[in-house]
Amino acid sequence: HIEGTKVFTNGTIAANQFSFTLAGDPATNPLPADTTVYSDTNGNIVFGDMTYELDDLDDVEAVDGKKTKTFTYTLTEVVPSEAQTEPYIKDHIQYDTHNETIKVTVEYVVATGAMTATVDKEKTDVTFTNEQLGEIKLKKVALYNGERMTEVDGWSFPVKLVKTDDSTFIREGSIATVHTDPESHEDI
């Protein structure tokens, strides 16, 4: 069967939190009974067994007494619709949107009738990594001649803070700048 690993950086995986789909390429490839599964709380992604029949090798000629055929599959994390575009974030979770191509080679020995299936990737070779992002809440205050004019609560956005060599923190991957007018506003 096909397996993978879910990593949740800065977070703890809850039951039924992250799901994954397996599709054949072409769609006529044998598939497990459940083509969508959840990772368990330890990050294990496990699809059930797939059954290969001799009929699946009908289009292959025997060479040296063996019929061999490779079946291709695509494993994908189910990403919420709100996180389908960059930066792939929903509820302060940044999702891994890559696809894994997995190949299963089926070999049939004509003389013995033995059939084996071998997956080309180990569980540890198939990893999807999501990240729990922190949150910064800001309060916007407008001042005029030192007098507070307006105040707005609830402005927040997810950030990933990374410590730089000079002990300052920056958001990895993008830079946000807060502009202030030093003559009429205080710095945030």
Side-chain angles (χ1 to χ4, degrees), residues 27-95:
T28 55
N29 284 358
L31 289 165
D34 293 322
T35 57
T36 300
V37 299
Y38 287 94
S39 64
D40 66 18
T41 57
N42 294 317
N44 298 305
I45 305 165
V46 181
F47 287 90
D49 291 334
M50 295 182 284
T51 303
Y52 296 92
E53 305 286 339
L54 189 53
D55 292 349
D56 294 324
L57 305 177
D58 278 349
D59 59 340
V60 178
E61 294 292 323
V63 176
D64 296 328
K66 298 176 185 175
K67 284 186 161 191
T68 303
K69 183 174 180 179
T70 300
F71 297 86
T72 303
Y73 298 91
T74 302
L75 176 56
T76 307
E77 180 169 4
V78 177
V79 176
S81 59
E82 300 89 345
Q84 300 255 333
T85 57
E86 282 197 65
Y88 311 113
I89 297 172
K90 180 182 183 229
D91 297 330
H92 305 293
I93 297 173
Q94 187 167 36
Y95 285 83

